[in-house]
Amino acid sequence: MEALSDNYLMARVRDGDPDKLGLLYERYKRPLLGFFIGMVHDRELAEDLLQNTFVRILKYRHLFRANGERTEGSDFKTWMFHIARNVKNDHYRKKKLPQEPVENWYDRIGHSETRSAQMQLEDEHYLLQLAMGKLPAEKREVLLLSKYHEKKYTEIGELLGCTESAVKVKVFRALQELKLIYQQLEKNH
Amino acid sequence: MREKELSELVVKYNAGLAKPDELLAIEKLIENGELEITELKSLELLAQHIDRLTDITPTIEQDGRFYEMLGTEVAGAKSHQGSTDTWNWKLFLPRFAYALSLLVVGAFAGYFISHPETNSEVKQLTQQVADLKEMMMVSLLEKESATERLKAVGLTQEIADPSDKVTQALLKTLTTDENVNVRLAALEALQAYAKEPHVREGLVRSIAKQDSPLVQVALAELMLALQEKSSVSELQKVLEQKKTPKEVKEKIKKTIDVLI
């Protein structure tokens, strides 16, 4: 469906039909918010960063270039995550905050009303969120990008400026460390 | 690595018995494409678990903010299309009033600054010396010899608090001087005043006017250091110019990628 592909919609936005950005927002608001919450551990801030990402997409829409005839959507998505990472990095740079994990961050993302139920029903799920929060920012980012890019390591490599095989090694190391943190949390739980 | 050894290593890893050197060997195998992470069961389970983590839907307030922003943009796009050839007084009048009020405030401020009763003679003398230096610098910038003009640019470092006249002269040099070294020196001198909005604007405006790759790259680096996002359009113009060398294009592309 070329008429509904990410690249087609973004090209329309670029060429004077900004209304089409609404469709892209609906398509990507949840993954982007998930990415930001995973990175900054603060729902309110994550929503600000989500908004800023779309503001920046609109502002720089004239720079969007879809490669050739490709319509599967990977171009826009990579471009969007590139902007999202810049928005996140700019936030840390402006505030001069370290990108370090925060203790008990899961409580701060607006889950308080559902947390106890979730703990009972999905204890593992809760522990995994905690373990992710304890991972260094770089490793957490590579795992989140891996999730939201459906493990397309070439695209992640484009974002991180490294090769596909280097991304695989990064993912391996991140998962390896996550496993150790998770096991430790499980012991103390 | 032979298939048997590889499968033994994987079995060992999955049983949680891999030693540090074996972990390094696994890393190498992954890097070489001989082993996929999906074959390491415990990690694959963890990865699948991450994929299942539920995404959170933005609040209604956030959706509202987005659509408000988009609505403004859509309205802007439509009014731009519909009124390109008519003068919009409704838009112009408040701007005109604002500009006029700035002019009046500026005139009053200028009057009071130039007539401070408390100024000591020493202050007056210091100011006169600074004014002389400024005059000398501006006249030296007009000289034919590039060395003289370089000297003039160097003089700005001796002026503690240069006036707009100096920064404007430097910006003019940066944009129009025929000598690349003088332009580079002017750029270096201007870096000290980059916090001034009019200097930043001047720097941004000069980007697309540069024909020297050295100055183009230096300006791109400065824009990056200043995180000057308003420079993106001007950098894009350089990128689109056919005569821009490939290396400069690469540098500018990287700069744009970081700025946007």
Side-chain angles (χ1 to χ4, degrees):
Chain A
M1 289 285 283
E2 191 186 336
L4 290 176
S5 79
D6 292 349
N7 286 345
Y8 176 79
L9 291 173
M10 191 57 220
R12 291 288 301 271
V13 173
R14 179 195 60 201
D15 299 337
D17 187 4
D19 229 0
K20 294 285 178 288
L21 193 67
L23 288 169
L24 291 168
Y25 174 78
E26 291 304 328
R27 204 171 279 177
Y28 287 110
K29 64 182 186 183
R30 282 162 56 92
L32 265 186
L33 187 64
F35 171 72
F36 283 132
I37 286 179
M39 291 309 297
V40 302
H41 316 144
D42 182 321
R43 181 175 180 145
E44 205 177 320
L45 172 60
E47 291 203 341
D48 282 346
L49 298 179
L50 168 70
Q51 176 76 0
N52 289 345
T53 302
F54 278 93
V55 167
R56 223 178 263 198
I57 285 174
L58 258 186
K59 187 176 173 189
Y60 295 111
R61 58 185 183 257
H62 60 286
L63 297 179
F64 174 73
R65 299 279 181 274
N67 285 342
E69 297 300 314
R70 289 169 65 187
T71 54
E72 72 273 21
S74 62
D75 290 344
F76 170 75
K77 197 171 167 185
T78 308
W79 189 67
M80 179 188 72
F81 266 99
H82 177 84
I83 289 177
R85 290 184 75 230
N86 282 356
V87 166
K88 184 249 312 167
N89 291 338
D90 281 356
H91 165 76
Y92 283 111
R93 196 161 32 222
K94 272 182 201 155
K95 302 271 176 187
K96 292 186 178 154
L97 295 171
Q99 298 192 38
E100 286 304 316
V102 182
E103 295 293 329
N104 303 324
W105 63 274
Y106 193 58
D107 296 344
R108 295 170 49 193
I109 60 169
H111 273 233
S112 50
E113 72 278 10
T114 55
R115 190 188 144 201
S116 58
Q118 187 151 359
M119 275 184 75
Q120 287 163 6
L121 294 168
E122 292 186 72
D123 218 16
E124 282 178 14
H125 185 93
Y126 179 67
L127 278 183
L128 182 64
Q129 296 267 25
L130 279 182
M132 285 281 279
K134 285 176 183 289
L135 262 188
E138 262 181 41
K139 290 183 174 162
R140 197 163 62 243
E141 185 178 46
V142 85
L143 291 184
L144 288 167
L145 288 175
S146 176
K147 168 178 158 81
Y148 293 115
H149 275 271
E150 292 111 27
K151 311 213 165 33
K152 289 175 183 162
Y153 296 126
T154 320
E155 285 176 24
I156 301 169
E158 263 180 58
L159 278 169
L160 300 180
C162 59
T163 61
E164 184 184 353
S165 52
V167 175
K168 284 183 183 175
V169 173
K170 279 176 195 280
V171 171
F172 169 71
R173 286 180 186 163
L175 282 171
Q176 180 68 19
E177 189 168 340
L178 183 69
K179 188 174 85 172
L180 295 176
I181 297 171
Y182 185 88
Q183 286 169 343
Q184 194 62 42
L185 283 171
E186 217 172 20
K187 246 188 245 171
N188 302 334
H189 194 57
Chain B
M1 186 177 276
R2 275 177 295 175
E3 207 170 307
K4 196 185 164 200
E5 280 176 278
L6 198 145
S7 62
E8 276 174 9
L9 191 60
V10 171
V11 168
K12 216 170 170 187
Y13 180 87
N14 287 336
L17 300 170
K19 293 172 191 156
D21 59 321
E22 288 168 325
L23 285 176
L24 281 176
I26 288 174
E27 254 190 47
K28 200 81 198 152
L29 289 165
I30 290 171
E31 194 176 2
N32 297 339
E34 294 174 64
L35 179 66
E36 292 299 324
I37 296 172
T38 46
E39 293 174 61
L40 305 170
K41 275 181 196 158
S42 58
L43 293 192
E44 177 56 13
L45 281 175
L46 206 53
Q48 283 176 9
H49 202 151
I50 295 171
D51 291 342
R52 282 199 302 272
L53 288 177
T54 333
D55 283 332
I56 299 160
T57 307
T59 53
I60 297 168
E61 288 79 22
Q62 167 52 34
D63 284 348
R65 266 203 306 170
F66 170 78
Y67 283 105
E68 198 183 319
M69 183 264 294
L70 190 60
T72 313
E73 193 65 34
V74 172
K78 280 180 184 161
S79 75
H80 181 70
Q81 280 165 8
S83 66
T84 45
D85 53 352
T86 53
W87 184 256
N88 194 338
W89 283 100
K90 277 184 187 168
L91 271 175
F92 175 73
L93 271 175
R95 286 178 194 174
F96 180 73
Y98 179 62
L100 193 66
S101 63
L102 276 183
L103 194 68
V104 172
V105 171
F108 272 101
Y111 178 81
F112 285 114
I113 288 168
S114 61
H115 294 82
E117 288 169 11
T118 52
N119 258 0
S120 68
E121 284 183 9
V122 178
K123 270 187 180 174
Q124 279 179 2
L125 273 172
T126 316
Q127 187 57 46
Q128 280 171 8
V129 172
D131 289 348
L132 271 173
K133 274 187 183 169
E134 283 192 11
M135 268 175 61
M136 196 160 78
M137 179 243 160
V138 175
S139 66
L140 274 174
L141 277 178
E142 305 289 328
K143 295 273 182 192
E144 271 185 38
S145 149
T147 320
E148 293 291 307
R149 299 203 300 278
L150 273 174
K151 213 185 281 176
V153 174
L155 258 182
T156 54
Q157 289 170 353
E158 292 176 24
I159 305 170
D161 191 15
S163 68
D164 286 357
K165 210 161 101 181
V166 173
T167 48
Q168 288 300 343
L170 283 172
L171 283 168
K172 191 182 163 202
T173 303
L174 172 67
T175 315
T176 58
D177 200 290
E178 61 192 25
N179 186 291
V180 175
N181 291 332
V182 178
R183 294 209 298 273
L184 279 172
L187 178 58
E188 209 178 310
L190 280 164
Q191 285 187 31
Y193 318 120
K195 61 179 184 296
E196 302 289 334
H198 77 275
V199 175
R200 278 187 179 227
E201 278 171 32
L203 287 168
V204 171
R205 272 200 305 270
S206 80
I207 294 172
K209 293 174 185 161
Q210 299 296 337
D211 53 6
S212 153
L214 277 176
V215 186
Q216 286 170 337
V217 168
L219 270 166
E221 280 172 356
L222 180 60
M223 293 300 115
L224 197 59
L226 296 172
Q227 282 290 305
E228 186 57 57
K229 297 184 189 306
S230 67
S231 66
V232 170
S233 302
E234 295 298 304
L235 289 167
Q236 185 69 20
K237 283 183 196 168
V238 180
L239 199 62
E240 284 164 7
Q241 284 168 7
K242 277 185 185 166
K243 60 182 178 186
T244 308
K246 195 182 149 203
E247 295 75 18
V248 177
K249 281 189 177 179
E250 277 169 16
K251 175 79 194 170
I252 287 176
K253 195 175 176 313
K254 276 183 192 164
T255 306
I256 293 175
D257 280 349
V258 177
L259 286 177
I260 65 170

Short mmCIF file of all heavy atoms in Angstrom, two decimals, chain B residues 35 67 77 80 98 109 148-149 158 166 172 200 204 217:
data_model
loop_
_atom_site.label_atom_id
_atom_site.label_comp_id
_atom_site.label_asym_id
_atom_site.label_seq_id
_atom_site.Cartn_x
_atom_site.Cartn_y
_atom_site.Cartn_z
N LEU B 35 27.59 -17.28 14.48
CA LEU B 35 26.63 -17.65 15.53
C LEU B 35 25.60 -16.53 15.67
O LEU B 35 25.93 -15.35 15.65
CB LEU B 35 27.39 -17.83 16.86
CG LEU B 35 26.58 -18.19 18.09
CD1 LEU B 35 25.97 -19.59 17.96
CD2 LEU B 35 27.47 -18.15 19.34
N TYR B 67 -1.83 17.56 18.32
CA TYR B 67 -2.78 18.00 17.29
C TYR B 67 -2.95 19.52 17.28
O TYR B 67 -3.26 20.09 16.24
CB TYR B 67 -4.10 17.25 17.45
CG TYR B 67 -3.97 15.84 16.91
CD1 TYR B 67 -3.88 14.75 17.76
CD2 TYR B 67 -3.85 15.61 15.55
CE1 TYR B 67 -3.69 13.46 17.27
CE2 TYR B 67 -3.67 14.34 15.04
CZ TYR B 67 -3.59 13.26 15.90
OH TYR B 67 -3.40 12.01 15.39
N ALA B 77 0.17 26.74 6.80
CA ALA B 77 0.44 26.32 5.42
C ALA B 77 -0.66 26.85 4.49
O ALA B 77 -0.40 27.33 3.40
CB ALA B 77 0.52 24.80 5.34
N HIS B 80 -0.51 30.66 4.12
CA HIS B 80 0.64 31.00 3.28
C HIS B 80 0.29 30.83 1.81
O HIS B 80 0.61 31.66 0.98
CB HIS B 80 1.83 30.11 3.65
CG HIS B 80 3.05 30.42 2.86
ND1 HIS B 80 3.75 31.59 3.05
CD2 HIS B 80 3.68 29.75 1.87
CE1 HIS B 80 4.77 31.62 2.21
NE2 HIS B 80 4.75 30.52 1.48
N TYR B 98 5.32 46.89 17.74
CA TYR B 98 6.41 46.34 18.56
C TYR B 98 7.74 46.96 18.16
O TYR B 98 8.54 47.40 18.99
CB TYR B 98 6.43 44.82 18.38
CG TYR B 98 7.52 44.13 19.16
CD1 TYR B 98 7.56 44.17 20.55
CD2 TYR B 98 8.51 43.41 18.49
CE1 TYR B 98 8.56 43.54 21.26
CE2 TYR B 98 9.51 42.78 19.19
CZ TYR B 98 9.53 42.84 20.58
OH TYR B 98 10.52 42.22 21.29
N ALA B 109 17.07 54.72 25.97
CA ALA B 109 18.20 54.02 26.61
C ALA B 109 19.51 54.60 26.11
O ALA B 109 20.42 54.88 26.88
CB ALA B 109 18.12 52.53 26.31
N GLU B 148 47.89 43.74 6.37
CA GLU B 148 47.30 44.82 7.17
C GLU B 148 45.91 44.41 7.67
O GLU B 148 45.55 44.68 8.81
CB GLU B 148 47.17 46.10 6.32
CG GLU B 148 48.49 46.72 5.93
CD GLU B 148 49.23 47.34 7.12
OE1 GLU B 148 48.62 48.14 7.84
OE2 GLU B 148 50.40 46.98 7.33
N ARG B 149 45.20 43.78 6.82
CA ARG B 149 43.84 43.36 7.21
C ARG B 149 43.90 42.28 8.29
O ARG B 149 43.08 42.27 9.21
CB ARG B 149 43.05 42.87 5.98
CG ARG B 149 42.86 43.94 4.91
CD ARG B 149 41.67 43.66 4.01
NE ARG B 149 41.76 42.40 3.30
CZ ARG B 149 42.44 42.20 2.16
NH1 ARG B 149 43.11 43.22 1.60
NH2 ARG B 149 42.47 41.03 1.57
N GLU B 158 42.39 43.02 21.38
CA GLU B 158 42.80 44.01 22.38
C GLU B 158 41.62 44.87 22.82
O GLU B 158 41.74 45.65 23.75
CB GLU B 158 43.89 44.91 21.79
CG GLU B 158 45.19 44.17 21.55
CD GLU B 158 46.22 45.07 20.89
OE1 GLU B 158 46.12 46.30 21.02
OE2 GLU B 158 47.11 44.53 20.21
N VAL B 166 32.37 46.99 15.39
CA VAL B 166 33.49 46.06 15.20
C VAL B 166 33.00 44.70 14.71
O VAL B 166 33.52 44.14 13.74
CB VAL B 166 34.28 45.90 16.53
CG1 VAL B 166 35.33 44.81 16.41
CG2 VAL B 166 34.91 47.20 16.92
N LYS B 172 31.48 41.53 7.94
CA LYS B 172 31.62 41.93 6.54
C LYS B 172 32.89 41.31 5.95
O LYS B 172 32.89 40.80 4.82
CB LYS B 172 31.67 43.47 6.46
CG LYS B 172 31.55 44.00 5.05
CD LYS B 172 31.64 45.52 5.04
CE LYS B 172 31.94 45.98 3.62
NZ LYS B 172 32.53 47.30 3.59
N ARG B 200 25.66 35.72 15.79
CA ARG B 200 25.23 34.37 15.37
C ARG B 200 24.49 34.43 14.05
O ARG B 200 24.74 33.65 13.14
CB ARG B 200 24.31 33.75 16.43
CG ARG B 200 25.06 33.14 17.57
CD ARG B 200 24.09 32.42 18.47
NE ARG B 200 24.82 31.80 19.56
CZ ARG B 200 24.65 30.55 19.97
NH1 ARG B 200 23.78 29.78 19.37
NH2 ARG B 200 25.34 30.06 20.96
N VAL B 204 25.58 32.69 10.55
CA VAL B 204 24.70 31.76 9.82
C VAL B 204 24.50 32.25 8.39
O VAL B 204 24.60 31.47 7.44
CB VAL B 204 23.34 31.62 10.56
CG1 VAL B 204 22.35 30.85 9.71
CG2 VAL B 204 23.54 30.93 11.90
N VAL B 217 34.14 24.49 6.11
CA VAL B 217 34.30 23.47 7.16
C VAL B 217 34.42 24.14 8.53
O VAL B 217 33.81 23.68 9.51
CB VAL B 217 35.54 22.59 6.85
CG1 VAL B 217 35.91 21.72 8.03
CG2 VAL B 217 35.28 21.72 5.63
#
